[in-house]
Amino acid sequence: METKILKMDTAADEKLSVAAQAIKNGDLVAFPTETVYGLGANGLDEKAAAKIYAAKGRPSDNPLILHIDSIKMLAMITDKVPHMAMEIMAAFCPGPITMIVPRKIAVPDRITGGLSTVGVRMPDNDIARKLITLSGVPIAAPSANLSGRPSPTTAATVYDDLNGRIPYILDGGPSDFGVESTIVDCTESIPVILRPGAITKEMLEEIFPEVRVDPALSGKNSVPKAPGMKYRHYAPKAPMILLKGRKENMLAAFTKELSKCKKAGQSVGIIASHEVTNLLRHSYSYDYGSQNDLFHIAADLYNALRYFDDKPVDILLAEGTTEKGIGLAIMNRLKKASGQNILSV
């Protein structure tokens, strides 16, 4: 099966109808959102959801998020919308945030990983919402990549991973934010961030007196309530070391580690800020942007993690960021991409 890329610059309505019919037929469609590209299926069809896991090679206990086009569609997913979730939706939806709510029995176990809750979000992308509307059902969609690989922010990257595994990709151009949605557990008395994203802890604290971060984000063992909490994710093909610490220490730390790797006969790829790459001038480098613009770094992060996949490098050295604001999401992805191989500098 050759995967078809449907560019949304012309005849968009016709192409959306083709994609929506595929969803209705129980097939898979990759589509753009404001975060990353999603791999969609009918979220109320267990067999369709199973195709997502097969196409990605995704572990069966890793839950999926349901995407909706309106608050009205929540009634298909849950009988009880927590007040906390309604406050979040009023403040941030449509937008890059997912709420964990009690599930209806109509939501298959395959979607929830057997949990009594389900993640739901309303994407801030016209193509995504129109696809959901035309399909008439919530669309289950993890990121549209092979499991464990960096998430895709363009249709071309989806094609690289999933060509021959899915029938259609809707090409809506590059994603805006470049990291997956913030996930908030709304079933507790206090909102708990299960996965950081573009809606930051600081932004949530503007509407809630207290916001917690799940202990699993710091590496502690817990039952995964949301995608990305249990397994290694976002990994480049080469092993990676994450350098974490003060900005002013980074150049010296990279110089030292680069020298050490060269003495060991290793070819090194560098993923770092403009501030470091501009001074280091290493031949295999990816400049992911300035440390003064974390949203730019987030948007380019997965491109950086994929950049060296076809380059002759043995090991990657990556620069971390602050963990304030969206930096928490960036560091969450970098830690997982490195397999927690972290060097404090």
Side-chain angles (χ1 to χ4, degrees):
M1 173 179 60
E2 176 74 16
T3 298
K4 294 181 181 178
I5 298 180
L6 306 178
K7 289 187 176 292
M8 299 302 291
D9 50 356
T10 58
D13 288 345
E14 180 181 329
K15 291 168 183 175
L16 277 166
S17 294
V18 169
Q21 189 60 52
I23 296 289
K24 292 176 182 177
N25 291 343
D27 287 327
L28 305 181
V29 175
F31 62 96
T33 79
E34 77 280 28
T35 57
V36 299
Y37 272 68
L39 179 58
N42 181 343
L44 302 181
D45 181 341
E46 186 133 18
K47 290 182 179 178
K51 292 181 181 180
I52 292 177
Y53 288 92
K56 284 177 61 72
R58 183 181 177 93
S60 61
D61 62 343
N62 200 4
L64 303 176
I65 290 170
L66 294 180
H67 294 64
I68 60 174
D69 64 349
S70 63
I71 291 177
K72 184 179 179 181
M73 194 173 271
L74 276 173
M76 301 174 74
I77 296 168
T78 181
D79 288 321
K80 183 181 179 182
V81 183
H83 181 67
M84 185 189 303
M86 293 304 296
E87 287 187 88
I88 289 173
M89 293 191 78
F92 301 114
C93 293
I97 191 159
T98 294
M99 294 139 289
I100 301 296
V101 300
R103 63 179 271 203
K104 248 185 174 179
I105 196 168
V107 178
D109 283 346
R110 177 74 71 166
I111 299 293
T112 68
L115 299 173
S116 61
T117 56
V118 65
V120 59
R121 90 175 191 94
M122 189 190 304
D124 189 12
N125 180 285
D126 290 342
I127 294 170
R129 291 201 308 279
K130 286 178 183 176
L131 177 63
I132 299 165
T133 300
L134 290 172
S135 301
V137 292
I139 292 182
S143 55
N145 55 283
L146 292 175
S147 188
R149 297 280 289 130
S151 301
T153 56
T154 64
T157 312
V158 178
Y159 187 86
D160 287 345
D161 269 13
L162 299 180
N163 178 33
R165 293 171 176 257
I166 62 175
Y168 299 111
I169 302 170
L170 295 178
D171 184 355
S175 301
D176 295 328
F177 292 108
V179 290
E180 296 84 352
S181 62
T182 305
I183 300 180
V184 181
D185 187 351
C186 296
T187 64
E188 306 289 341
S189 58
I190 294 170
V192 180
I193 295 174
L194 304 181
R195 181 179 72 190
I199 302 301
T200 65
K201 180 174 183 284
E202 291 83 355
M203 293 164 70
L204 288 164
E205 286 172 340
E206 291 180 10
I207 60 172
F208 299 108
E210 183 181 358
V211 178
R212 294 178 184 164
V213 175
D214 193 278
L217 294 181
S218 61
K220 296 179 181 177
N221 292 327
S222 66
V223 176
K225 293 184 179 181
M229 294 188 72
K230 185 175 180 182
Y231 297 97
R232 189 183 179 200
H233 285 266
Y234 323 117
K237 290 182 178 177
M240 188 175 92
I241 299 172
L242 173 61
L243 279 64
K244 173 186 174 184
R246 297 170 65 87
K247 287 190 289 185
E248 54 267 33
N249 295 342
M250 283 294 173
L251 181 61
F254 270 94
T255 302
K256 179 180 178 181
E257 290 305 309
L258 192 55
S259 175
K260 197 186 300 183
C261 291
K262 284 181 177 178
K263 284 181 181 177
Q266 294 176 308
S267 177
V268 183
I270 300 291
I271 299 173
S273 66
H274 177 72
E275 291 85 353
V276 168
T277 57
N278 195 42
L279 294 173
L280 199 60
R281 297 191 179 281
H282 180 63
S283 54
Y284 286 120
S285 295
Y286 189 100
D287 176 353
Y288 63 31
S290 172
Q291 288 284 359
N292 297 320
D293 187 354
L294 293 181
F295 276 90
H296 176 86
I297 292 176
D300 204 28
L301 183 62
Y302 292 139
N303 293 328
L305 291 173
R306 285 178 177 265
Y307 177 76
F308 292 100
D309 285 350
D310 60 355
K311 306 290 188 298
V313 298
D314 303 309
I315 192 166
L316 301 177
L317 301 177
E319 179 184 2
T321 69
T322 176
E323 297 195 52
K324 301 285 187 182
I326 198 171
L328 182 64
I330 295 168
M331 287 298 286
N332 170 258
R333 276 44 167 203
L334 285 173
K335 288 175 182 177
K336 285 183 173 290
S338 71
Q340 301 294 330
N341 189 7
I342 302 168
L343 178 63
S344 295
V345 303

